[in-house]
Amino acid sequence: MINIDYTDRTPVYEQIIKSLEQLIVLGILKPDDKLPSVRSLGVELSTNPNTIQKAYTALEARGVIYSVKGIGNFVADKDIKKKKLKEIKNNIKELLSTALTYGLSEEELDNWLGEIKEDINKN
Amino acid sequence: MINIDYTDRTPVYEQIIKSLEQLIVLGILKPDDKLPSVRSLGVELSTNPNTIQKAYTALEARGVIYSVKGIGNFVADKDIKKKKLKEIKNNIKELLSTALTYGLSEEELDNWLGEIKEDINKN
Amino acid sequence: MINIDYTDRTPVYEQIIKSLEQLIVLGILKPDDKLPSVRSLGVELSTNPNTIQKAYTALEARGVIYSVKGIGNFVADKDIKKKKLKEIKNNIKELLSTALTYGLSEEELDNWLGEIKEDINKN
Amino acid sequence: MINIDYTDRTPVYEQIIKSLEQLIVLGILKPDDKLPSVRSLGVELSTNPNTIQKAYTALEARGVIYSVKGIGNFVADKDIKKKKLKEIKNNIKELLSTALTYGLSEEELDNWLGEIKEDINKN
DNA sequence: GTGGTCTAGACCACC
DNA sequence: GTGGTCTAGACCACG
């Protein structure tokens, strides 16, 4: 379920975080579901268990999962979806505003959005 | 013209690259304009000339500037603008498509875009 | 496997780049093979790790290798061979065309090529 | 008659040397012809007179030109052509031999040469 | 003065 | 341990 791209410059632990958050947002992992153990996921992704641990610790700090000592890690939050969508919206806003300072006219912008929506619908 | 945020975790040389590209895209630096010398910019940004050199070398590798030994570095490309806008467009497309896989309806998406455009026009 | 000529005026880091590209083209280093670490190669070539780093960074920018932080650098491209051969072909073409503008007749040219091929076959 | 490409990484004075040698090989500048003065060529190429002087000094060291104090610089050698052609031949030989070590078969090589000759004849 | 290369030594993030 | 960034200081080639 999780794919790591070692070619990518983004750290492995961040890729794991992103993947897990996605699985939760998509509802594939539901609240109180048990996450794979640090060791087993380490084997599966052929990466260092420390790296998995780092990802889990970060997710716990964000309140996305909670850990029960000696038992395992579990999905916590139901509101990641909202947070993620808000995040995406802000990113888009920032991108569009820099595009405008780069001289993109409002008309071109509307063309862009049209094209993008078409493109996405194709796939 | 260039501001470095030393508290920012993104490398100084990348901040320099980004700033210079922006100045070029905005037309403040035009083709064949001379860039500040590695030493002078080093003093100005109170950073090491090697760091500036690294940024300049990277920009040259990308074809954004060209360098003449013993003379200086100069703006090369007139098409960075297009490239940058394309880059931004692709980023937006990716963000929107993940938003949709996260369950955003087309209607909500249009609301988003409306709000975003309003927000930007305010400033 | 890599030899550096410090009396040569071409920069050390370029010599390293050239050597590594050759090892890859010759198939001695294959895709996803791990390159020596910047530090170990630095010791081996009795040069500064920064110089190795510079070579690796340039190779990564060209898409010849990819780097994984904390792990190492790895061979990426399988098509360097084609690129290199194309490069050579273009160089030959340029040389021959200037030879012709210098007044070399087509007959002499064919003699040349014959001699050259003989010469190479001897060794 | 002389074009300098400041984008090119090869030093200006070497570009000047190459250009002058070419003019001589092509017979545009003939033995005992007077070369432009250091100052006038400096103005023409909008480059530093020192740079021109450096080129002239190098050409004199190679026996391609001779200088008469207070009078000017003059074309000397009639055999540059042979030297140049020999040089080109050696370069081609080297390129071909590396191409072969890179795994180019003799058959492919013959194809190459055919294509190259065609290409040149077109222009 | 300008770019470019290199060294020595340090520090950080990642695994 | 690995890559990556940065500093300080030096030297060379070029114009």
Side-chain angles (χ1 to χ4, degrees):
Chain A
M1 312 223 284
I2 297 179
N3 272 313
I4 303 299
D5 176 5
Y6 290 100
T7 301
D8 195 335
R9 306 193 77 86
T10 66
V12 174
Y13 81 98
E14 279 186 11
Q15 292 187 46
I16 295 172
I17 291 175
K18 199 180 162 191
S19 292
L20 288 174
E21 285 187 336
Q22 235 175 55
L23 290 173
I24 295 171
V25 170
L26 293 174
I28 297 172
L29 286 173
K30 288 166 194 162
D32 296 320
D33 274 4
K34 189 174 180 301
L35 296 170
S37 82
V38 169
R39 273 193 300 279
S40 68
L41 191 53
V43 172
E44 194 184 321
L45 303 181
S46 62
T47 189
N48 195 311
N50 290 334
T51 307
I52 313 291
Q53 187 54 59
K54 190 165 184 176
Y56 280 7
T57 307
L59 283 169
E60 197 186 1
R62 297 187 201 175
V64 177
I65 67 176
Y66 61 91
S67 103
V68 184
K69 254 190 185 169
I71 305 290
N73 291 275
F74 302 86
V75 177
D77 197 341
K78 321 168 190 177
D79 288 338
I80 316 174
K81 202 170 177 168
K82 275 189 201 164
K83 287 186 203 162
K84 280 288 161 192
L85 285 176
K86 210 171 189 175
E87 215 177 288
I88 292 176
K89 193 177 165 187
N90 280 330
N91 287 337
I92 292 176
K93 189 177 149 190
E94 195 144 324
L95 286 171
L96 282 182
S97 97
T98 64
L100 291 177
T101 62
Y102 280 4
L104 192 80
S105 73
E106 280 223 38
E107 212 184 319
E108 289 168 312
L109 190 152
D110 285 330
N111 282 341
W112 265 29
L113 296 177
E115 287 176 42
I116 288 172
K117 277 163 71 177
E118 258 184 58
D119 257 34
I120 292 175
N121 283 330
K122 270 190 204 152
N123 315 331
Chain B
M1 311 223 285
I2 297 178
N3 272 313
I4 303 301
D5 177 3
Y6 289 99
T7 68
D8 191 337
R9 282 196 334 277
T10 69
V12 175
Y13 83 97
E14 279 187 10
Q15 293 186 46
I16 296 171
I17 290 176
K18 201 180 160 190
S19 293
L20 288 175
E21 283 187 334
Q22 243 175 48
L23 290 174
I24 295 172
V25 170
L26 293 175
I28 298 171
L29 285 174
K30 289 168 194 164
D32 296 317
D33 274 3
K34 191 175 178 303
L35 299 171
S37 81
V38 284
R39 286 171 177 78
S40 68
L41 191 53
V43 171
E44 193 183 321
L45 304 181
S46 61
T47 187
N48 191 295
N50 282 335
T51 305
I52 313 289
Q53 181 73 269
K54 192 171 185 178
Y56 280 7
T57 306
L59 283 169
E60 198 191 7
R62 299 186 197 176
V64 177
I65 68 175
Y66 64 90
S67 112
V68 185
K69 236 186 174 176
I71 302 290
N73 288 277
F74 302 85
V75 177
D77 197 339
K78 319 168 188 177
D79 290 335
I80 314 173
K81 201 171 176 168
K82 277 189 198 164
K83 287 186 203 161
K84 282 287 162 194
L85 285 176
K86 215 171 192 170
E87 218 178 286
I88 292 176
K89 194 178 166 186
N90 280 331
N91 287 337
I92 292 176
K93 189 178 150 190
E94 198 143 320
L95 286 170
L96 282 183
S97 103
T98 63
L100 291 177
T101 62
Y102 280 3
L104 192 78
S105 73
E106 280 224 35
E107 211 184 318
E108 289 167 311
L109 189 152
D110 285 330
N111 283 342
W112 266 29
L113 296 178
E115 288 176 41
I116 289 173
K117 277 162 70 176
E118 258 183 59
D119 257 33
I120 293 175
N121 283 331
K122 271 190 207 148
N123 319 331
Chain C
M1 311 225 282
I2 297 178
N3 272 312
I4 302 301
D5 177 2
Y6 288 100
T7 69
D8 192 337
R9 283 196 332 277
T10 69
V12 175
Y13 84 97
E14 279 188 9
Q15 292 186 46
I16 296 172
I17 290 175
K18 200 180 161 189
S19 292
L20 287 175
E21 283 187 334
Q22 241 175 49
L23 289 173
I24 295 171
V25 170
L26 293 174
I28 297 171
L29 285 174
K30 289 168 195 162
D32 295 319
D33 274 4
K34 190 176 179 301
L35 298 171
S37 82
V38 284
R39 285 172 177 79
S40 68
L41 191 53
V43 172
E44 195 183 320
L45 304 181
S46 62
T47 187
N48 191 294
N50 282 335
T51 305
I52 313 290
Q53 181 72 268
K54 191 171 184 177
Y56 280 8
T57 306
L59 284 169
E60 199 191 6
R62 299 185 197 177
V64 177
I65 68 175
Y66 64 90
S67 113
V68 186
K69 237 187 174 178
I71 302 289
N73 287 277
F74 302 85
V75 177
D77 196 341
K78 317 167 188 178
D79 290 335
I80 314 175
K81 201 171 177 167
K82 275 189 200 164
K83 287 184 204 163
K84 283 286 162 192
L85 285 176
K86 213 170 193 172
E87 215 178 288
I88 292 176
K89 194 177 167 187
N90 281 330
N91 286 337
I92 292 175
K93 190 177 149 191
E94 197 142 322
L95 286 170
L96 282 182
S97 101
T98 64
L100 291 177
T101 62
Y102 280 3
L104 193 79
S105 74
E106 279 223 36
E107 213 184 319
E108 290 168 310
L109 189 154
D110 285 330
N111 282 342
W112 266 27
L113 296 177
E115 287 176 42
I116 288 173
K117 276 162 71 176
E118 261 185 55
D119 256 35
I120 293 176
N121 283 330
K122 271 188 204 151
N123 318 331
Chain D
M1 312 226 286
I2 297 179
N3 272 313
I4 303 301
D5 177 4
Y6 291 99
T7 302
D8 194 336
R9 306 192 76 85
T10 66
V12 174
Y13 81 97
E14 280 186 11
Q15 292 187 46
I16 295 172
I17 291 175
K18 200 180 160 191
S19 291
L20 288 175
E21 284 186 335
Q22 237 176 52
L23 290 174
I24 295 170
V25 170
L26 293 173
I28 297 172
L29 286 174
K30 290 166 194 163
D32 298 319
D33 273 4
K34 189 173 180 301
L35 297 171
S37 81
V38 168
R39 274 195 299 277
S40 69
L41 192 52
V43 172
E44 194 182 323
L45 304 181
S46 62
T47 189
N48 194 312
N50 291 334
T51 308
I52 313 289
Q53 187 54 57
K54 191 167 184 177
Y56 280 6
T57 307
L59 283 169
E60 196 186 2
R62 296 187 201 177
V64 176
I65 68 175
Y66 62 89
S67 102
V68 184
K69 252 188 184 168
I71 306 292
N73 292 275
F74 301 86
V75 178
D77 197 342
K78 320 168 189 180
D79 288 337
I80 316 175
K81 202 171 179 167
K82 277 190 197 164
K83 286 186 203 162
K84 280 288 161 194
L85 284 175
K86 210 171 189 174
E87 217 177 285
I88 292 175
K89 193 177 167 187
N90 280 329
N91 286 338
I92 292 176
K93 191 177 149 190
E94 196 145 322
L95 286 171
L96 283 182
S97 97
T98 64
L100 291 176
T101 61
Y102 279 4
L104 192 80
S105 75
E106 280 221 37
E107 213 184 318
E108 290 168 310
L109 188 152
D110 285 330
N111 282 342
W112 266 28
L113 296 177
E115 287 176 42
I116 289 172
K117 277 162 70 177
E118 255 183 60
D119 256 34
I120 293 176
N121 283 330
K122 268 189 207 149
N123 318 331

